[in-house]
Amino acid sequence: MKIIVYIFLFLVITSPVTAQYNIIDYGAKNDTSQLSTEAINKAIAACNSHGGGRVVVPAGNYKSGTIIMKSNVELHLESGSVIYASTDTNDITRRAQPAYRSQKDPGGWYALLYAEGETNIRITGYGTIDGQGATQIPRSHSGGDLDGRPRNLLFISCNNVLVDGITMLNAGIWNQHYLNCEDVQISNIRVYNHCNRNNDGLDIDGCRRVVVSNCIIDSDDDAIVLKSTGKAGCENVAIINCIVSSFTNAIKCGTESTGGFKNINIGNCIVKRSKSKVPPIFGRTNIGISGISLEIVDGGIMEGVQVHDIVIEETECPIYVRLGNRARKHNPDAPAPPLGTMRNISITNITAYNTGNYTASITGVSAAKIENISLSRLRLVNRGGLKPGEFISKVDSVAEDEKGYPEPTVWKNLPVYGLFMRHVKNISITDISLVNMQYDPRPAFAAIDIDHLSMQQVKVEGSSRPPGLITKDVKKLEVRDY
């Protein structure tokens, strides 16, 4: 027994203890009528200067302007703590323009939590960050999403990042933005973002080696979105075990695609209706526009994408895959991007039910076809009930719109109810079940300008009409068990 006690005491004495810096000790006030910006930043600077450790935000309510994260610092929000972003434009200040340039850069960023070029930074705990986004106003008159409304969190060119456990509410614009970062883990967070324009939930932008897991995200705009707004692409990214809601696109790669997307795994997720009682700010449908969207429209290459084991409840369009040619520059001095590439994409084991009638679609452009895409084990249950005049009547009438904004709202109700395919090279469809909750007068499939289409194990149920297939310029067609 004595030996066990001695060993225990030895471990207690010799085990390293993380240095802790309580923001109260640096002057923070549990009082939202006062600013705690200086105190929080002093605690972070002291922690960093002593080699790192944990900056503790104890239970209470704190108001702050811009908080600058530094290397080797963990900002830990204890249960019951809330950091509110100040709504005074003098408190959340413009940061110097970073070295990494991006299409979203307004000439220097605004954010509540900010870091550039830092290493080993963590945001942890069970507390809350509230951006008070409904009362955050633009800092400039440039308009759109470049008007300087502050993000809740913006990390640029940082390495070894962990964000775990916290709740993030109501940003002025995007809730979180990770730009050109490496080795990022985002886990167990809760996000609710319904208060202002462009209210994305989580943006992974030109980052490498990223895991997003076990998160619950509900947003007005895109919920979880991979982007490439600069030269860097998104590579080696896993999004797993998340519950996602959006009035727009639930899980999306795009719209910006300059650096492309490579080795992306999206799996074991649920897309469900938003719990927000506030109407969609952009006037969009309250069941969401798309469940899964994969897009290349500003150049770049999308390759090695696997989407699997997804349940989608209530969205207008379950699956949207688009190769377009918007060709937007990532900065004014950059050359116009060439046509992009999409290839080697797998979409499997998807259940979508009670969806609208926009219809799943896979569309390239005539000069750049989507290559090597497979769909398997899909069950798509749409509402049906359309009448003539409520959908595009002919496949030739579906606009190419290669320069437009890529979204199913461009077409809305397509001429088929199952899957619309155009400008694709090598597409395989295996084991797909289609159900209309009410009779739908449209045929099931359309295939236009397809180099090789293989379809097998196609089933229809309920009030669905036989699985008609409209074909035009299909070079090789293989159909079995249809």
Side-chain angles (χ1 to χ4, degrees):
M1 186 67 180
K2 289 183 178 180
I3 294 175
I4 294 174
V5 172
Y6 291 149
I7 292 173
F8 174 77
L9 291 173
F10 175 81
L11 290 174
V12 169
I13 293 169
T14 59
S15 296
V17 177
T18 301
Q20 299 205 18
Y21 301 79
N22 192 312
I23 64 169
I24 297 294
D25 297 335
Y26 290 82
K29 302 297 183 184
N30 179 4
D31 178 357
T32 56
S33 69
Q34 301 184 58
L35 274 176
S36 292
T37 315
E38 184 178 359
I40 297 171
N41 282 318
K42 278 184 176 179
I44 290 171
C47 181
N48 168 261
S49 67
H50 289 90
R54 171 180 282 185
V55 172
V56 176
V57 181
N61 298 316
Y62 309 89
K63 183 173 72 171
S64 181
T66 304
I67 297 169
I68 307 298
M69 290 296 297
K70 294 186 178 295
S71 295
N72 304 314
V73 172
E74 173 188 357
L75 182 65
H76 182 77
L77 284 72
E78 292 187 338
S79 182
S81 66
V82 184
I83 298 177
Y84 291 95
S86 173
T87 57
D88 187 330
T89 56
N90 295 312
D91 296 333
I92 296 183
T93 55
R94 181 194 287 265
R95 310 312 303 166
Q97 190 172 72
Y100 183 81
R101 298 302 308 279
S102 142
Q103 190 273 330
K104 299 299 180 186
D105 186 346
W109 301 85
Y110 298 86
L112 174 60
L113 288 167
Y114 181 87
E116 182 193 356
E118 303 296 334
T119 301
N120 301 330
I121 54 177
R122 298 184 175 192
I123 311 291
T124 66
Y126 296 99
T128 298
I129 293 169
D130 189 332
Q132 301 201 89
T135 49
Q136 296 288 357
I137 63 174
R139 271 63 170 169
S140 71
H141 301 288
S142 57
D145 57 2
L146 299 176
D147 61 10
R149 283 170 290 144
R151 288 149 166 77
N152 275 356
L153 181 153
L154 173 60
F155 292 164
I156 303 174
S157 303
C158 293
N159 300 318
N160 196 10
V161 174
L162 173 69
V163 177
D164 181 80
I166 63 172
T167 296
M168 303 187 74
L169 307 176
N170 299 327
I173 185 167
W174 295 0
N175 198 297
Q176 305 158 79
H177 188 184
Y178 303 84
L179 176 61
N180 189 39
C181 293
E182 295 187 338
D183 300 311
V184 178
Q185 296 181 68
I186 303 163
S187 56
N188 307 305
I189 67 169
R190 291 155 299 282
V191 174
Y192 185 83
N193 211 32
H194 288 272
C195 62
N196 210 321
R197 294 176 291 117
N198 313 105
N199 267 171
D200 289 6
L202 166 61
D203 291 77
I204 306 296
D205 186 352
C207 296
R208 282 79 63 199
R209 300 182 300 280
V210 179
V211 177
V212 179
S213 63
N214 306 317
C215 298
I216 301 173
I217 298 178
D218 189 334
S219 63
D220 185 83
D221 212 331
D222 302 332
I224 298 178
V225 53
L226 307 185
K227 291 183 177 289
S228 178
T229 62
K231 290 183 177 181
C234 278
E235 298 185 5
N236 306 314
V237 178
I239 300 170
I240 55 174
N241 300 338
C242 293
I243 300 174
V244 185
S245 306
S246 170
F247 284 148
T248 311
N249 305 285
I251 303 175
K252 175 178 171 181
C253 292
T255 312
E256 295 81 9
S257 64
T258 301
F261 308 92
K262 183 177 181 181
N263 299 342
I264 310 298
N265 186 315
I266 302 168
N268 298 327
C269 293
I270 294 171
V271 174
K272 64 179 292 294
R273 177 192 277 261
S274 169
K275 69 179 183 180
S276 173
K277 304 301 182 185
V278 178
I281 288 172
F282 284 116
R284 303 288 178 79
T285 170
N286 66 356
I287 66 169
I289 293 172
S290 77
I292 301 291
S293 285
L294 307 177
E295 304 170 358
I296 288 283
V297 295
D298 298 326
I301 298 172
M302 179 180 288
E303 182 170 25
V305 176
Q306 183 178 67
V307 181
H308 62 94
D309 298 288
I310 309 290
V311 176
I312 299 169
E313 177 190 8
E314 288 194 319
T315 189
E316 297 289 355
C317 171
I319 300 167
Y320 177 78
V321 181
R322 178 63 167 154
L323 171 54
N325 190 27
R326 181 176 65 171
R328 187 161 71 181
K329 300 178 180 181
H330 72 276
N331 71 57
D333 300 325
L339 273 167
T341 301
M342 296 182 78
R343 61 192 178 210
N344 302 326
I345 297 169
S346 169
I347 300 173
T348 185
N349 204 21
I350 310 295
T351 297
Y353 69 98
N354 200 21
T355 65
N357 293 309
Y358 281 7
T359 306
S361 64
I362 299 172
T363 58
V365 296
S366 58
K369 294 182 177 179
I370 298 170
E371 302 179 37
N372 306 332
I373 181 167
S374 67
L375 298 90
S376 63
R377 300 197 301 280
L378 270 59
R379 181 173 176 82
L380 307 179
V381 182
N382 76 314
R383 293 180 178 178
L386 292 177
K387 299 175 182 178
E390 295 178 340
F391 56 89
I392 300 172
S393 60
K394 299 178 180 179
V395 295
D396 290 341
S397 300
V398 179
E400 292 279 353
D401 195 43
E402 66 179 61
K403 294 287 186 183
Y405 186 82
E407 196 169 71
T409 51
V410 171
W411 302 314
K412 295 189 176 178
N413 298 330
L414 286 163
V416 297
Y417 69 79
L419 178 63
F420 182 86
M421 300 164 276
R422 185 168 63 189
H423 306 314
V424 184
K425 180 179 180 181
N426 297 330
I427 178 169
S428 170
I429 302 170
T430 304
D431 190 5
I432 180 170
S433 296
L434 303 176
V435 183
N436 293 317
M437 297 168 66
Q438 300 179 65
Y439 178 77
D440 194 317
R442 300 174 293 175
F445 301 98
I448 301 99
D449 186 25
I450 308 295
D451 284 2
H452 180 196
L453 170 60
S454 172
M455 301 181 70
Q456 55 184 316
Q457 295 176 264
V458 176
K459 299 179 285 293
V460 297
E461 302 175 29
S463 58
S464 303
R465 58 179 288 179
L469 169 62
I470 300 172
T471 63
K472 182 178 181 180
D473 298 325
V474 177
K475 294 183 174 61
K476 183 179 180 181
L477 176 62
E478 298 175 308
V479 177
R480 287 177 289 174
D481 300 325
Y482 191 93

